[in-house]
Amino acid sequence: QVQLVESGGGLVQAGGSLMLSCTASGSIASIDAMGWYRQAPGKQREWVARINNAGSTNYADSLKGRFTIFRDNAKNTVYLHTNSLRPEDTAVYYCACARLPSLHSPDYWGQGTQVTVSS
């Protein structure tokens, strides 16, 4: 089992930035990909970004250039730096991880952290 704990969400004005973090514990040696999904009110959960053990990163096309994912393996932590936030970025952001290099089907989820962007 792997436990994921997110932090860093909050309320920010449009154009601002937030740094989300997610720390993994438990059977972390089995984990390859880590990353983020988000779910806005009334919408389906969507994939945001992922990074694998090799350091390879991928982003949702709509977020490229504004969000940056990086990982500190020594701290078992993945970060999501969000820039130039827009009201439409308001969502619950979920950390996820998988035993495979991709994050299409996560094996574990965090509890989520709320990001609210005011206009």
Side-chain angles (χ1 to χ4, degrees):
Q1 290 291 322
V2 174
Q3 295 78 43
L4 301 172
V5 179
E6 303 104 329
S7 62
L11 174 64
V12 63
Q13 287 189 332
S17 62
L18 284 173
M19 179 78 80
L20 307 183
S21 63
C22 170
T23 299
S25 61
S27 302
I28 55 178
S30 65
I31 295 304
D32 193 329
M34 295 185 74
W36 298 87
Y37 281 71
R38 68 182 184 181
Q39 187 166 19
K43 294 187 177 181
Q44 289 189 332
R45 191 173 296 190
E46 64 174 352
W47 170 72
V48 173
R50 72 92 171 152
I51 182 168
N52 63 18
N53 268 338
S56 176
T57 59
N58 292 96
Y59 298 89
D61 286 343
S62 62
L63 301 175
K64 285 180 181 177
R66 294 196 299 123
F67 289 12
T68 303
I69 189 169
F70 57 101
R71 182 168 175 173
D72 185 339
N73 287 331
K75 295 182 178 180
N76 302 317
T77 299
V78 62
Y79 302 90
L80 186 70
H81 189 209
T82 63
N83 276 323
S84 303
L85 285 165
R86 305 165 182 169
E88 54 264 39
D89 293 318
T90 295
V92 178
Y93 284 69
Y94 295 92
C95 179
C97 66
R99 298 185 186 92
L100 296 176
S102 73
L103 204 59
H104 293 303
S105 298
D107 294 297
Y108 301 99
W109 294 90
Q111 80 286 354
T113 186
Q114 176 71 47
V115 171
T116 303
V117 185
S118 63
S119 56

